[in-house]
Amino acid sequence: MHSDIKESFAKIGTKVLLRPVYGNKRWIEFKRTKIVVTLRKDCDIVFDGINLQLPVIFDDEQAQFVIELESNSKIKTENNSYYLVRSVGSHFFKHNGNRTRESLLERNDTLNLNGNLLSYFKKETIEEVDLDAFSKTKLFVLLEGETGTGKTTIAKKIHDKSNRVGEFIHINLSAFSENLIESELFGHKKGAFTGAINDKKGAIEMANYGTLFIDEIDSISKEIQLKLLLFLDNYKFRPVGSHLEKSADVKVILASGRKLEDLIETKEMRKDFYFRLKSGLTKNLRPLREDPKKVEEIIDDFCKNNDVSISLNLVKLYKSLDWPGNIRQFISHLNKKKELSHNKKLDFDFLDEELLNFPIEIVEDKGGIDTLLKVKKSYIQLVYQKVDCSIKKAAKILDITTHTVRNNIGVQINQQQLNERKSA
């Protein structure tokens, strides 16, 4: 039956699309050789990298399955391994609609575990596709995003994938006074100005045959914008105090903490510089508060790299927070929790309490004020987190129905969809 399985489900890092019986669909990544799947009635969805807990609606009895990376010389796969799914006990599952207790997974297969669907597709993330394209292009790259959204990390990844022989040079323009920026970028000759006691190479020359990452371009004057514009036109530059023009073979990546369109409106940026920057490739990095999937990815990577797990209640809390410092703030918070915890499983503690200790206030955004419905939803979510993510407790405290709590925390059940999945 499986004599030729080159498309098998057979490596660490495989991504699987989970469509649970309730809640939103999500991508999860198998980073271990063995995943234990447990089905329980009315439980929360939990995945700590090793154990995957899924809810069921109609069965009272607990069921358990194992998805394990196996090796068998009789089966000729690319790496002589495959993922095998088997039932622990007498429970059946459906593999592509067929009832079984044991099955070998292949690409485009779907498992139905009592209404929870696990589907395997070959899929590259948008970030992986972007990095691949950005590393190969000769155009410069513009990264736009709030502080802490990972612009420096992405710039380094682009450099690493580009296989350039030179160095990765990072210069943050906001770190220098206006009269030093030109020297830091282009270099200077001895005696060019007071204090120039020696010749100095600028960031552009140091990055020759490598990558130049120019950060915080939204902080520079129009005079420096013009000089950068001239450099981006032909990759030639002149050190301060020199009459000789030099050339540089560099891959240029620029970053801005603000949208360039806003800088044009406030007349902080030259229009010709704006249009030159927009002629390259642009990637907008979403803030963490708008990207709950990124929160899950950070948690997965953190747990794997630090050999810890994080409770589902805490994951839900983290996905509901604003994180004004974005990825940098979130990772710093996780590191503090790990250092102060004596357990392998991280749960709600005083550090998380500090994140919630903020006054309720009316926030005006884009000329408007939050609606009563939005404030109500935020308060229900806050109470829900305070009572360890118990829908019943939150409903009792707030004197509302469990259905109302469930709707406001994003956990909704469509009975028709459940029936369809049970019959799949």
Side-chain angles (χ1 to χ4, degrees), residues 41-71:
K41 187 175 181 181
D42 295 333
C43 74
D44 291 317
I45 301 169
V46 179
F47 183 55
D48 61 7
I50 301 174
N51 300 289
L52 174 60
Q53 179 177 285
L54 297 173
V56 290
I57 303 299
F58 303 105
D59 288 353
D60 291 326
E61 189 177 358
Q62 176 178 310
Q64 195 169 76
F65 306 91
V66 172
I67 304 175
E68 191 165 12
L69 192 65
E70 300 275 353
S71 180

Side-chain angles (χ1 to χ4, degrees), residues 209-221:
Y209 301 110
T211 299
L212 174 64
F213 177 43
I214 306 176
D215 204 355
E216 303 286 356
I217 60 165
D218 51 315
S219 67
I220 59 177
S221 67

Side-chain angles (χ1 to χ4, degrees), residues 237-255:
F237 66 98
R238 186 175 297 163
V240 179
S242 174
H243 300 291
L244 299 176
E245 197 172 55
K246 294 185 176 182
S247 297
D249 178 2
V250 295
K251 184 174 191 65
V252 178
I253 305 174
L254 307 110

Side-chain angles (χ1 to χ4, degrees), residues 305-417:
N305 296 332
N306 295 276
D307 193 26
V308 296
S309 64
I310 295 178
S311 70
L312 177 64
N313 292 344
L314 210 50
V315 173
K316 289 179 179 178
L317 171 63
Y318 292 156
K319 289 169 66 176
S320 71
L321 298 178
D322 281 345
W323 299 111
N326 292 293
I327 296 173
R328 187 183 297 118
Q329 180 193 7
F330 186 29
I331 292 178
S332 175
H333 179 78
L334 292 177
N335 282 326
K336 283 195 294 183
K337 281 184 68 69
K338 179 181 72 72
E339 291 298 322
L340 296 176
S341 176
H342 301 292
N343 300 315
K344 289 289 186 179
K345 183 173 183 179
L346 305 182
D347 214 329
F348 189 89
D349 62 17
F350 73 96
L351 290 172
D352 303 302
E353 184 73 29
E354 291 176 357
L355 294 174
L356 296 175
N357 285 337
F358 57 89
I360 296 176
E361 58 183 36
I362 297 176
V363 179
E364 296 191 24
D365 184 22
K366 297 180 180 179
I369 297 177
D370 284 348
T371 64
L372 180 60
L373 183 62
K374 186 173 181 181
V375 174
K376 172 187 170 184
K377 182 175 181 178
S378 297
Y379 186 67
I380 291 174
Q381 291 173 342
L382 179 61
V383 173
Y384 173 70
Q385 299 295 342
K386 288 281 192 178
V387 295
D388 297 327
C389 297
S390 169
I391 293 176
K392 290 182 179 179
K393 288 181 181 179
K396 185 176 180 180
I397 291 173
L398 295 166
D399 195 22
I400 57 178
T401 66
T402 55
H403 179 72
T404 301
V405 175
R406 192 182 295 275
N407 284 343
N408 281 277
I409 63 174
V411 179
Q412 302 180 32
I413 301 177
N414 186 313
Q415 192 64 43
Q416 182 178 353
Q417 291 179 347

Side-chain angles (χ1 to χ4, degrees), residues 194-211:
T194 303
I197 58 176
N198 293 301
D199 289 356
K200 177 183 176 178
K201 288 185 178 181
I204 293 174
E205 192 170 357
M206 290 190 289
N208 202 21
Y209 301 110
T211 299

Side-chain angles (χ1 to χ4, degrees), residues 112 152 377:
N112 186 331
T152 301
K377 182 175 181 178

